[in-house]
Amino acid sequence: MDEIKQGKLLEIKDLKISFRQGKETTSAVDGISFDMFPSETLAIVGESGSGKSVTALSVMKLIQVPAGKVEAEQMRFTTKSNKLIDLLNATETEMTGVRGKEIAMVFQEPMTSLNPVLTCGDQVYEAIRLHFKISKTRAVMKTLELFREVRLPQPDRIFRAYPHELSGGQKQRIMIAMAISCNPSLLIADEPTTALDVTVQKQILLLLKKIQKIRGMGILFITHDLALVSGFADKVIVMYKGKIVEQGSVSKIYTSPEHPYTQGLLACRPPLNTRLKRLPTIIDFMTTDVKIQTEVVSPEDREERLTGLYKLEPVLKVKDLVKHFPGTRAVDKVSFDVFPGETLGIVGESGSGKTTLARAVLELIPPDSGRIFFRNEEITQISKEKLKSLRKHLQIIFQDPYSSLNPRLTAGSAIQEPMTVHRLHDNEKTRKKKVIDLLEKVGLQPEHFNRYPHEFSGGQRQRICIARALAVEPRLLICDESVSALDVSVQAQVLNLLNDLKKEFGLTYIFISHDLSVMRYMADRIIVMKNGRVIETRDADKLFTNPQSPYTSSLIEAIPHPEFLQ
């Protein structure tokens, strides 16, 4: 360690990271350079596989060797005591003093970052005792102070609570409390809001800004969503395939992006002020020199389509549906209709009841009371045998494609299985041909038939789940947060695919999401839910321009845009 004279907090020059598997070596980061200064917020933006997360892990020296190899001309960090640490050559003993105390990290999924067998208080308390020689009583008091600082309700109760007893936003606040417990100079936030509702996401970002202002720490913020950093970061680095393709101030990146990849990241997010016929994708920008033209759905065309649609008999009717769990009214007397060819959006925060409602409609969980009619047949009263036969007409795509697929089944087998169960098509040969047709319909290749789920990206796995749902030729398809775990660029591709398939197969959608910008692009009508009840049901365009409830307004205001954190 040497005395440092310059004011840089973190200095990285020509960083290269590669991983070896067998005889093959893959380059994850290819010669990137950047600096960070105290109290600065630097955002690294890019899709999955761009190299942004492994860059952060290399700063913490958490890349496993010998499988992972980290090289750099320079990789230096300035401590609170104004000492210069060579992160590349620091020993594990030196890094133990750096991690947590000087550089802290908040990961994407708090549930997997927290120990399920320890209380939340014990986990933060343990981190404090590791770095500071203070009494147990003082460590407990400091933990409770941190819980109050990150605005956790009832700190004493949460101290004793286990991770599974808290909401996603509360768990992420626990992780932030743990990260700031030793007052680090640098906080690395790796996709800390990806799995959160828009309102909770906004709360977490505001919290990070407040803590940064009070403590004067630098924040290295990693995300796939360029819109998210608009009101949060000072500078932005855009990464693509391990390289920095563009960097600069937030205003420069937003107002005059130079690289096609940056332009694509900005364009593929659904706009709030208009309805596009089709979302632009990264591929559009990376494969053509021609300026991308976006077509807008005219209000007249939309009005004509919806007028004809709402004259039809509803394909699904839900009357006073109720589903209660101990201490919770998950769905409380909910009623709605869905018309053939319509996309009905259901939006609300976690715990609003939207997923429970979807599962109750499909009879995946039995409702306590209420009536459900599909094509004028009351499905709450039919036998289990008849319900099984009916299921091929009512399908669902879940949020996490990886947990939705059997890891022991190939993609082809997963898609073919429901055909076999419902005895569709004459024989296995015909079914296999149908599976290959479906793979091609959802943008995959015939050779993907024999690959297993772990061999696909997240976007590809979701395409497999879509193909599996289509395998039984359904009439109504429920999409339950089916794009929330995807990069915004992959999300645009999947949303376009869903709209294409809707037209080709004559599908009707119930589209569930907490992301209102996605809902603005997909839905014809929107149901807003809170605490198990329907707060508002309106035409999608009118809901955005003139929301009728304060709760709906708060959801719209929480959508990321340049001023949403001001």
Side-chain angles (χ1 to χ4, degrees):
M1 297 184 187
D2 304 315
E3 292 292 333
I4 186 160
K5 299 184 185 300
Q6 67 266 34
K8 293 175 182 176
L9 177 64
L10 181 66
E11 186 178 5
I12 292 177
K13 286 186 180 178
D14 197 26
L15 174 65
K16 297 176 182 176
I17 304 172
S18 59
F19 293 92
R20 186 169 182 177
Q21 188 172 17
K23 295 181 179 180
E24 292 186 6
T25 300
T26 303
S27 174
V29 175
D30 188 10
I32 69 169
S33 303
F34 64 89
D35 298 329
M36 270 193 76
F37 293 86
S39 301
E40 180 180 61
T41 300
L42 173 65
I44 301 181
V45 183
E47 299 171 280
S48 297
S50 62
K52 57 190 189 299
S53 289
V54 290
T55 297
L57 290 172
S58 71
V59 171
M60 296 283 280
K61 206 163 186 179
L62 292 175
I63 303 290
Q64 290 188 340
V65 292
K69 184 179 181 182
V70 180
E71 304 171 280
E73 182 184 325
Q74 214 164 66
M75 200 171 179
R76 305 191 299 187
F77 172 76
T78 311
T79 69
K80 291 191 286 279
S81 59
N82 211 36
K83 298 289 184 180
L84 185 66
I85 295 181
D86 178 358
L87 293 173
L88 196 64
N89 299 306
T91 65
E92 186 57 31
T93 301
E94 287 177 314
M95 288 307 299
T96 301
V98 170
R99 294 186 196 116
K101 194 172 184 180
E102 299 284 351
I103 306 174
M105 194 162 183
V106 179
F107 294 95
Q108 176 175 349
E109 180 43 69
M111 194 64 201
T112 57
S113 304
L114 292 168
N115 189 329
V117 300
L118 293 178
T119 67
C120 295
D122 283 344
Q123 296 186 58
V124 179
Y125 160 91
E126 184 181 55
I128 294 169
R129 293 272 289 176
L130 181 68
H131 290 285
F132 297 105
K133 293 180 179 179
I134 58 176
S135 67
K136 290 182 179 180
T137 303
R138 180 72 191 104
V140 170
M141 289 176 62
K142 186 171 174 58
T143 300
L144 292 171
E145 287 170 12
L146 286 164
F147 284 0
R148 283 188 281 271
E149 185 174 355
V150 298
R151 297 190 178 185
L152 280 165
Q154 301 174 298
D156 292 314
R157 179 186 66 81
I158 287 185
F159 189 100
R160 300 187 300 271
Y162 289 89
H164 73 272
E165 297 178 286
L166 304 182
S167 69
Q170 288 174 331
K171 285 194 282 277
Q172 199 59 288
R173 287 169 191 265
I174 296 290
M175 289 301 302
I176 293 170
M178 192 185 302
I180 66 172
S181 63
C182 300
N183 199 27
S185 301
L186 174 62
L187 177 68
I188 300 173
D190 186 6
E191 300 271 15
T193 63
T194 297
L196 304 178
D197 298 330
V198 285
T199 49
V200 180
Q201 173 180 266
K202 183 176 181 178
Q203 292 167 16
I204 295 296
L205 293 179
L206 285 169
L207 174 64
L208 288 173
K209 285 191 77 171
K210 181 184 177 184
I211 292 170
Q212 180 184 38
K213 188 175 181 180
I214 294 171
R215 295 175 175 245
M217 65 185 181
I219 297 179
L220 183 60
F221 189 83
I222 294 166
T223 181
H224 65 264
D225 190 349
L226 197 46
L228 196 61
V229 302
S230 57
F232 183 71
D234 301 308
K235 293 192 304 190
V236 180
I237 288 173
V238 181
M239 289 189 70
Y240 178 64
K241 293 186 176 179
K243 293 180 179 289
I244 293 176
V245 296
E246 190 164 359
Q247 60 182 310
S249 67
V250 171
S251 59
K252 175 186 176 294
I253 295 295
Y254 272 83
T255 56
S256 53
E258 296 175 359
H259 197 277
Y261 181 70
T262 311
Q263 294 167 6
L265 282 178
L266 286 168
C268 64
R269 184 87 181 174
L272 291 177
N273 57 353
T274 188
R275 182 182 289 269
L276 299 180
K277 288 186 177 180
R278 191 172 190 81
L279 290 174
T281 65
I282 295 290
I283 297 168
D284 297 331
F285 284 85
M286 299 296 286
T287 57
T288 179
D289 295 327
V290 181
K291 184 174 175 60
I292 305 300
Q293 300 292 329
T294 54
E295 288 187 71
V296 176
V297 178
S298 74
E300 295 77 18
D301 288 348
R302 182 170 182 272
E303 184 69 27
E304 183 181 347
R305 184 181 76 83
L306 293 181
T307 299
L309 186 150
Y310 294 136
K311 289 179 180 177
L312 302 173
E313 181 70 20
V315 67
L316 181 76
K317 298 177 185 178
V318 177
K319 306 292 184 187
D320 295 326
L321 199 67
V322 173
K323 181 63 186 179
H324 292 173
F325 297 107
T328 305
R329 292 172 174 262
V331 177
D332 197 8
K333 290 192 174 181
V334 170
S335 301
F336 62 89
D337 295 336
V338 188
F339 294 84
E342 182 183 29
T343 297
L344 177 71
I346 303 178
V347 70
E349 297 173 286
S350 295
S352 63
K354 53 189 189 296
T355 293
T356 302
L357 173 61
R359 297 187 181 208
V361 166
L362 294 178
E363 293 272 333
L364 296 177
I365 52 174
D368 295 328
S369 63
R371 306 174 76 187
I372 304 167
F373 298 86
F374 178 71
R375 291 177 167 177
N376 287 323
E377 181 176 17
E378 187 169 359
I379 63 176
T380 41
Q381 300 295 324
I382 62 177
S383 65
K384 288 185 178 180
E385 192 62 33
K386 196 168 183 181
L387 180 62
K388 179 183 175 182
S389 176
L390 187 70
R391 288 204 190 281
K392 64 176 177 285
H393 300 300
L394 301 162
Q395 288 290 302
I396 186 168
I397 303 167
F398 295 101
Q399 178 174 351
D400 182 3
Y402 195 74
S403 61
S404 303
L405 294 167
N406 187 331
R408 296 183 178 182
L409 290 182
T410 64
S413 298
I415 298 167
Q416 190 170 320
E417 185 179 43
M419 295 182 191
T420 306
V421 169
H422 288 284
R423 299 175 183 174
L424 298 177
H425 312 297
D426 297 331
N427 50 53
E428 292 299 299
K429 184 178 179 181
T430 307
R431 288 172 190 142
K432 184 173 182 178
K433 184 178 183 302
K434 182 68 175 177
V435 170
I436 290 171
D437 289 343
L438 284 169
L439 284 170
E440 292 177 332
K441 291 279 186 197
V442 299
L444 297 173
Q445 303 300 319
E447 54 265 29
H448 289 145
F449 186 100
N450 293 313
R451 292 188 190 174
Y452 289 88
H454 72 272
E455 298 179 270
F456 295 94
S457 68
Q460 288 175 321
R461 283 195 287 267
Q462 198 59 289
R463 289 168 186 267
I464 294 167
C465 291
I466 293 170
R468 182 179 61 180
L470 293 174
V472 289
E473 300 172 2
R475 306 319 307 155
L476 178 68
L477 190 56
I478 297 179
C479 303
D480 186 8
E481 298 279 13
S482 55
V483 297
S484 63
L486 305 178
D487 293 336
V488 287
S489 52
V490 179
Q491 183 182 91
Q493 295 172 26
V494 173
L495 292 175
N496 287 337
L497 171 65
L498 287 170
N499 275 342
D500 291 343
L501 294 171
K502 180 184 175 183
K503 292 175 186 175
E504 183 173 350
F505 291 94
L507 296 170
T508 301
Y509 288 153
I510 294 178
F511 197 89
I512 297 170
S513 179
H514 64 261
D515 188 337
L516 269 81
S517 61
V518 168
M519 200 65 83
R520 177 72 170 82
Y521 173 67
M522 290 294 293
D524 297 310
R525 279 187 306 140
I526 295 177
I527 291 175
V528 182
M529 289 190 69
K530 181 182 181 183
N531 298 331
R533 287 182 171 271
V534 174
I535 300 298
E536 184 173 353
T537 303
R538 297 199 79 201
D539 173 86
D541 289 2
K542 291 176 182 175
L543 181 133
F544 277 87
T545 56
N546 186 25
Q548 298 299 294
S549 77
Y551 177 69
T552 306
S553 297
S554 70
L555 292 177
I556 295 171
E557 287 165 6
I559 300 169
H561 57 84
E563 289 80 37
F564 90 118
L565 289 181
Q566 304 305 318

